[in-house]
Amino acid sequence: MKLKIYQVIFGFGALGGLALYAEDVITVYNHADVPVYLAFYYVKSTIVGVSIGPAAKSGESLIAPPYQSVKLVRPPWKIFSDNRELIFSTSPETLKKVLSAKEYNVSSHKAAGVKYGNIYHIAKVDGVVSVYGDVDWKLFEPMQAGIKDIAVRVFHETADFFKQHPYANIKATIRQSNDLGDDEIKSVSNRRPKTKTTLESILKVSLPENAVPRIGIAMSGGGVRAATCAYGFIAGLNEMGLLDAVTYAVGLSGSTWLISSFLELGKSVGEYRQEFLQAITQEHLLAPSAITDTFLQKFVYNQPMSIVDLYGVYLSNKFFRNIDTDIGRQRVWFSDVRNRVTDGSWMFPLCTAVEISRSKSKPIWFTFSPFEVGSDELGLYVPTWALGRKFLSGVSTDLRNPPELRLGFFMGLWGSALSSTFQHTFDVGVKKYVNNPVMRTIIENVLKQTIGPLQFAPINIANPFYGIQSVFYKDLEELTFVDAGLAYNLPITPLLNNKRGVDIIVVLDASGKVHAEEGAGELRKAENHIRKLGLAFPKIDYTGITTQAVHVFADADPGTPIVIYVVPVKNVLHADLGDPAKEFLTTYQTSNFTYSKRDAERLIDLMRYNIVDNKEMIIDAIKQKINQKMKH
């Protein structure tokens, strides 16, 4: 029997030397009505400290009788030794002297080094025995009672939904392939006639099928600033008649909020402007029922909860404010838009994050579409509606198939670099409206979970690739995602997958320090990574790269995409719209979640004019690629 494990990691200070020489006693309190057996194990770990098994027992198993406590001595830490963990079971025979990696990974285990404290708690939740650290328990015990008054009001409404969602009776499988998924192929194929007709209309020529360039846009991160620039950028492309010629739209962090909300709401570019302005210029209060509805889903299915869940509630409330109810704004899913994408009405959306469980210094890029989530680098994909489920050897194993993760959660995950600044947003826009003190305590503790000096919040999700032999992630129970800006702030690499056949990449760089003295720092990082990967990419001339709105970089090789680099700069014909070089780190700084209506409209219109005013340069680049394709 596998027990549920809850773990929130909080710092307990530096690892002391006393544990090496003095008896180090821990206490386990069993609050359950069944006996639980436990033992210490040394568990083999990766170079970055992730436990993977096998596990070797240290000492004998002990029993924690119902409603009693038991004390045991923590084994000593040894230089270069494996991780120390407590393994629990209701069946004593499962606590063997040596557990294989597979046996370890299906066991109930909990990190038990000195920094995790000396007190643990066992409790029964919904008939299932669960294990907590002392900090977890202090959150969980009052939470059980504290959210009751709110949870009771929403539970009856949510219970049927949790049980009867569209994928409740469907097992999910993993796709292992270096090819594009069938849904993406179909969507892009259905988009093709529209892109061809649009280009022919703009260029006033008839194009042979093999000469029609495939265009993708890649938009940077940067919070609400990036989302605002992205909307102005798209509005400019639409005004010059080019938006329907674009096949792919790739976003990172803040620009993913624009992509996903624009697509979800299904409005025209002009109609969406008012929706977007309301989202970024008004404070949006959070109802406790919206928070509880979101956390209840995770709680019911024993899925990890973090700052990003709360952050996602905030983003859903912000960008879907015109949906009628507080809970309705939270019940929005990325897969909602599949029909609109499949029929070719809209660009194929790809939102990005990076996975860091193996190495923070070498993160792996993942793309998220309405159809599937995966890594082009690894050739592994899971249906979007199934991410969050537990899998074994490529097939989902949950007895109670959880609903799809919410779009708000994804928006928080994609923009998780900003979740550290969300503490301020919580203080001024949430805390005073959450009157239940226990709920406030839970939220405040969730907000403490960040990683590294840049305060990127880690998002742990059950590993869908667990148990697949010869797969990079086969032995990890969870994957850890963060904002792709941890790598670099421009999502160009997904468009360089040769299966996508992108001929022209229009890059919007609204990074906060894009105007710094060096200029285009994130593009430099992206180019460096692309060169290391050996992907075709034109040579970039950085001379004066941030002094004009549009630069075009091309290569004589027809297999190399043309890159059109767009950077927000002052427009001399519209000087009243301001100077991004001066305002990106002040008025439009990344941590600013709300703008004045005037500032929002200035930035939108500046980007729009900068695109429209450079229409001829952009059209000439398209003609250049068409000529290359016709010659080959």
Side-chain angles (χ1 to χ4, degrees):
M1 173 181 179
K2 183 174 181 181
L3 311 184
K4 284 202 251 181
I5 297 293
Y6 293 81
Q7 180 166 310
V8 181
I9 297 177
F10 292 83
F12 281 81
L15 190 64
L18 288 176
L20 291 172
Y21 309 106
E23 190 174 75
D24 184 11
V25 178
I26 72 164
T27 303
V28 178
Y29 294 91
N30 185 3
H31 305 274
D33 59 0
V34 295
V36 176
Y37 301 86
L38 57 153
F40 268 108
Y41 283 77
Y42 285 109
V43 184
K44 182 175 177 58
S45 61
T46 66
I47 194 169
V48 293
V50 177
S51 295
I52 57 175
K57 185 189 279 188
S58 174
E60 297 300 318
S61 301
L62 292 180
I63 181 172
Y67 308 114
Q68 296 183 39
S69 64
V70 63
K71 295 183 183 292
L72 61 163
V73 177
R74 181 168 16 221
W77 175 75
K78 304 171 185 175
I79 298 175
F80 306 122
S81 72
D82 296 322
N83 292 340
R84 291 171 292 175
E85 297 196 11
L86 273 171
I87 296 182
F88 302 80
S89 178
T90 54
S91 303
E93 62 272 12
T94 61
L95 299 179
K96 298 187 297 186
K97 287 187 177 181
V98 177
L99 300 179
S100 68
K102 185 173 182 179
E103 289 171 327
Y104 163 73
N105 279 293
V106 298
S107 72
S108 296
H109 47 266
K110 193 160 186 70
V114 173
K115 69 177 180 179
Y116 297 102
N118 290 64
I119 299 175
Y120 293 84
H121 298 265
I122 299 168
K124 186 179 274 190
V125 181
D126 296 330
V128 180
V129 174
S130 309
V131 183
Y132 303 81
D134 197 41
V135 174
D136 311 332
W137 179 252
K138 288 173 181 175
L139 284 175
F140 173 77
E141 186 180 31
M143 175 177 164
Q144 289 285 74
I147 68 169
K148 188 175 180 180
D149 59 331
I150 301 171
V152 165
R153 293 199 298 269
V154 298
F155 182 75
H156 291 297
E157 183 181 340
T158 59
D160 287 343
F161 164 73
F162 288 154
K163 296 175 184 176
Q164 299 174 14
H165 61 88
Y167 307 105
N169 299 314
I170 302 176
K171 277 195 174 293
T173 57
I174 299 304
R175 184 172 72 86
Q176 299 182 71
S177 175
N178 291 319
D179 294 324
L180 303 181
D182 291 342
D183 292 307
E184 181 174 347
I185 293 170
K186 181 178 179 181
S187 301
V188 169
S189 177
N190 288 341
R191 178 79 172 169
R192 186 73 168 177
K194 177 175 281 193
T195 62
K196 183 176 186 291
T197 301
T198 300
L199 286 173
E200 289 176 334
S201 176
I202 292 172
L203 302 175
K204 296 179 171 46
V205 296
S206 178
L207 295 172
E209 187 63 38
N210 65 351
V212 179
R214 184 167 291 174
I215 302 172
I217 57 177
M219 299 179 286
S220 78
V224 172
R225 178 191 63 248
T228 306
C229 288
Y231 175 70
F233 171 67
I234 284 176
L237 292 175
N238 186 62
E239 188 171 331
M240 64 180 282
L242 191 60
L243 189 61
D244 281 342
V246 177
T247 298
Y248 285 100
V250 187
L252 184 153
S253 197
S255 64
T256 66
W257 305 341
L258 180 281
I259 290 173
S260 55
S261 61
F262 183 24
L263 183 53
E264 174 68 31
L265 293 172
K267 295 182 179 292
S268 68
V269 174
E271 292 170 338
Y272 180 73
R273 180 178 176 121
Q274 189 59 34
E275 296 270 359
F276 183 72
L277 284 171
Q278 289 177 346
I280 67 172
T281 62
Q282 299 177 15
E283 288 288 353
H284 304 280
L285 309 185
L286 290 186
S289 60
I291 299 173
T292 304
D293 182 72
T294 298
F295 275 68
L296 190 60
Q297 177 178 324
K298 288 292 193 77
F299 186 74
V300 165
Y301 289 98
N302 189 23
Q303 294 175 322
M305 291 182 281
S306 74
I307 180 178
V308 173
D309 293 283
L310 184 62
Y311 186 38
V313 173
Y314 172 79
L315 291 172
S316 275
N317 205 55
K318 185 177 185 71
F319 286 96
F320 305 119
R321 64 181 304 279
N322 287 329
I323 295 177
D324 290 340
T325 66
D326 295 323
I327 291 177
R329 294 182 201 116
Q330 305 307 317
R331 295 186 180 178
V332 179
W333 292 271
F334 203 19
S335 65
D336 289 345
V337 302
R338 287 179 300 176
N339 289 341
R340 196 173 305 134
V341 174
T342 301
D343 69 12
S345 302
W346 218 81
M347 300 170 284
F348 192 89
L350 292 169
C351 298
T352 56
V354 292
E355 204 287 323
I356 61 167
S357 60
R358 290 299 194 193
S359 171
K360 298 181 186 70
S361 62
K362 295 180 180 179
I364 293 178
W365 284 75
F366 272 66
T367 55
F368 298 67
S369 83
F371 305 98
E372 60 183 10
V373 176
S375 167
D376 293 342
E377 180 180 344
L378 302 177
L380 294 170
Y381 305 89
V382 59
T384 301
W385 52 264
L387 185 66
R389 293 187 182 187
K390 294 179 181 177
F391 283 74
L392 179 63
S393 301
V395 180
S396 62
T397 60
D398 282 299
L399 296 178
R400 301 179 299 166
N401 291 326
E404 180 178 350
L405 294 171
R406 303 177 185 212
L407 181 53
F409 172 78
F410 280 137
M411 293 168 78
L413 183 157
W414 301 326
S416 62
L418 298 170
S419 52
S420 63
T421 66
F422 184 56
Q423 177 69 59
H424 170 72
T425 303
F426 175 72
D427 288 338
V428 301
V430 180
K431 187 185 291 185
K432 61 185 177 181
Y433 302 107
V434 179
N435 296 319
N436 185 290
V438 177
M439 180 63 78
R440 286 162 60 119
T441 299
I442 293 166
I443 292 170
E444 286 168 341
N445 279 286
V446 165
L447 285 168
K448 293 176 183 176
Q449 300 174 58
T450 55
I451 186 169
L454 296 179
Q455 300 292 287
F456 285 81
I459 302 94
N460 294 323
I461 298 176
N463 176 17
F465 314 123
Y466 177 70
I468 300 177
Q469 294 304 309
S470 74
V471 166
F472 186 66
Y473 293 121
K474 67 178 180 179
D475 51 7
L476 295 180
E477 288 191 353
E478 293 181 339
L479 300 184
T480 302
F481 292 97
V482 296
D483 188 310
L486 179 69
Y488 46 84
N489 205 34
L490 295 173
I492 298 172
T493 48
L495 294 176
L496 296 176
N497 180 340
N498 60 12
K499 300 290 185 179
R500 294 196 167 102
V502 176
D503 300 297
I504 299 171
I505 302 174
V506 189
V507 179
L508 168 63
D509 193 348
S511 304
K513 296 182 180 180
V514 66
H515 308 100
E517 184 176 348
E518 171 185 64
E522 297 302 319
L523 181 61
R524 294 171 190 267
K525 292 178 189 176
E527 184 186 11
N528 182 56
H529 182 237
I530 290 165
R531 301 288 180 214
K532 288 181 178 178
L533 294 175
L535 301 174
F537 199 69
K539 180 176 176 57
I540 306 297
D541 180 359
Y542 291 94
T543 306
I545 196 166
T546 60
T547 60
Q548 65 185 57
V550 176
H551 287 263
V552 175
F553 303 102
D555 191 278
D557 178 7
T560 300
I562 288 177
V563 171
I564 302 173
Y565 182 67
V566 178
V567 62
V569 297
K570 182 176 181 178
N571 189 310
V572 294
L573 299 177
H574 304 280
D576 59 315
L577 298 179
D579 185 355
K582 295 179 180 179
E583 295 187 87
F584 264 27
L585 299 180
T586 55
T587 305
Y588 304 114
Q589 62 183 310
T590 305
S591 59
N592 188 357
F593 282 84
T594 305
Y595 297 160
S596 71
K597 190 168 187 291
R598 177 178 176 272
D599 288 338
E601 290 187 320
R602 283 195 302 122
L603 188 54
I604 288 171
D605 290 334
L606 175 71
M607 286 305 308
R608 181 172 61 85
Y609 283 126
N610 280 356
I611 293 298
V612 173
D613 291 351
N614 287 279
K615 176 178 179 178
E616 294 307 316
M617 183 183 295
I618 295 170
I619 295 300
D620 285 345
I622 294 172
K623 290 178 178 177
Q624 182 179 354
K625 178 52 70 174
I626 289 172
N627 288 334
Q628 279 187 333
K629 291 176 73 68
M630 292 184 72
K631 291 177 181 178
H632 294 82

